Amino acid sequence: MELFASRPAWYVIGPLIGLVVVGLMATINHRIGALGGYSNLVERLTGRAEGPDWRAAFLGGVIVGAFVLLVLRGADTVGEGYGWLTRTFSSDALVVAILFGAGILIGFGAKTAGGCTSGNGLGGCSTGSPASFAATATFMGTAIAASFVIKGLI
């Protein structure tokens, strides 16, 4: 499908994400965040929670939505894959292992910090949380600094 061949413009995606953030607060009075879904599933599997809640469904929707987009776009529209990572390492298994390890580190950091980038950046800042503003400034500043370091090394 031609519609899914390229990424939508920021002025389309931004308002849609904003509608999801506002919609969650208006309907169920909860902040958006992907880490909560993963945490809820882990708590359910370890017996610390009775059952999955809306956050698990949110996480499932993110995963299923990514798969549906992949199917609709087709394999020939992926382009460079994961950018520098795909260009540097020719082994798909190594790229997957690196991404899996990075995901574990990100999850650990987000759980330790008390929230993920989507929860703090979208949900927390939109509700005026000072802690979320501090967390968002920290991860954005770190990302900017890391991009300059990586660009200087490559």
Side-chain angles (χ1 to χ4, degrees), residues 20-108:
V20 170
V21 170
V22 170
L24 274 173
M25 287 300 264
T27 57
I28 61 175
N29 198 29
H30 283 281
R31 290 180 8 185
I32 189 172
L35 180 66
Y38 176 76
S39 295
N40 183 250
L41 286 177
V42 169
E43 289 167 359
R44 171 71 176 112
L45 292 173
T46 58
R48 292 181 284 166
E50 288 298 313
D53 63 8
W54 72 271
R55 298 173 299 174
F58 178 78
L59 179 63
V62 169
I63 293 168
V64 170
F67 179 73
V68 168
L69 181 62
L70 178 68
V71 169
L72 291 175
R73 287 179 80 178
D76 60 338
T77 61
V78 173
E80 292 185 19
Y82 289 98
W84 170 84
L85 196 60
T86 306
R87 289 189 307 272
T88 303
F89 302 104
S90 59
S91 168
D92 288 343
L94 181 58
V95 170
V96 168
I98 291 170
L99 290 172
F100 186 76
I104 289 172
L105 291 173
I106 289 169
F108 177 76

Side-chain angles (χ1 to χ4, degrees), residues 65 77 101 111-112 117:
T77 61
K111 192 68 175 170
T112 303
T117 55

